[in-house]
Amino acid sequence: MAENVFIIKFEEESKSYQTFSELKQMHATKQIVGEQMGVILNDADAGIQIKDFLDFTGTDKTARGSIIGALVGIIGGPLGILLGWMGGTFIGATGDAREIKNAMNVFEQVTSFIAHGQTGVILIAREEDFETIQNYAYELGGQVVRLNGDYVRDQIKQAQLAQFELERDARKRWKDRNK
């Protein structure tokens, strides 16, 4: 099953929660086949937060251990903060930083699509469900971005590796300075 990550946004917060509820029902009636879904808020002060989460697979994953949790965690974690603080032009100045910046494409898309103060829905579902999801969102006045699921997973892995390497390098520099 080819999966996609759908990011759906609305101007009104209540429509995100309505969409979460109705997509859950659409999955139950086999109109779509979802894997995971979450309502996210891009809070100007606290960053991206998961407000509600559902794992359709029944594996009892929490939001934290999910693809959506990893996506949100990287955006709000040290790597996301570092990139937001330093800015794209400065980051692009070195080869290692360029790799990190490339790995941030997915994360930048999420944060630029769901602006500060907005709430949206992230849904992992089949490619075949795109038209159903898009039509539903448009009826409510929403917008949809579709990302290839394999691409998102790859970007998450790259960002996690980059974050691990940054943390390792920072610990080494800290130890070297405090000898």
Side-chain angles (χ1 to χ4, degrees):
M1 169 174 81
E3 294 175 340
N4 280 254
V5 176
F6 300 97
I7 306 167
I8 309 162
K9 76 170 181 176
F10 300 94
E11 293 300 319
E12 300 167 34
E13 181 177 350
S14 63
K15 289 189 178 179
S16 292
Y17 286 97
Q18 177 184 348
T19 297
F20 182 84
S21 178
E22 291 187 20
L23 288 174
K24 183 166 71 171
Q25 186 62 32
M26 291 168 85
H27 174 80
T29 59
K30 309 285 188 231
Q31 294 173 10
I32 66 167
V33 176
E35 183 178 315
Q36 298 172 0
M37 179 171 58
V39 175
I40 61 169
L41 167 66
N42 189 349
D43 184 271
D45 297 323
I48 302 252
Q49 303 173 341
I50 299 174
K51 302 309 275 182
D52 205 347
F53 177 80
L54 176 64
D55 187 338
F56 293 111
T57 65
T59 58
D60 292 330
K61 290 182 187 173
T62 63
R64 185 177 182 150
S66 70
I67 294 168
I68 294 171
L71 185 66
V72 169
I74 289 169
I75 292 169
L79 185 61
I81 291 168
L82 176 68
L83 288 169
W85 176 64
M86 295 172 89
T89 43
F90 178 73
I91 291 279
T94 68
D96 290 343
R98 194 172 303 116
E99 289 175 16
I100 295 168
K101 187 170 185 226
N102 289 340
M104 291 303 291
N105 290 338
V106 166
F107 312 106
E108 290 169 349
Q109 284 181 288
V110 173
T111 56
S112 65
F113 186 64
I114 299 177
H116 287 298
Q118 284 188 320
T119 303
V121 175
I122 296 181
L123 169 68
I124 300 171
R126 300 177 309 179
E127 165 69 28
E128 305 83 270
D129 296 328
F130 174 64
E131 191 173 327
T132 302
I133 293 164
Q134 184 178 43
N135 289 341
Y136 172 78
Y138 287 171
E139 285 176 18
L140 288 179
Q143 297 176 357
V144 180
V145 168
R146 173 179 54 172
L147 304 170
N148 177 280
D150 290 335
Y151 174 72
V152 171
R153 282 183 178 86
D154 181 60
Q155 293 295 293
I156 289 170
K157 285 180 189 173
Q158 286 183 41
Q160 287 171 330
L161 179 60
Q163 185 170 322
F164 171 77
E165 290 172 356
L166 283 171
E167 289 169 357
R168 184 191 62 212
D169 292 346
R171 280 191 299 274
K172 184 181 181 310
R173 281 193 297 272
W174 180 261
K175 285 180 183 178
D176 290 347
R177 287 184 187 151
N178 294 305
K179 285 185 176 180

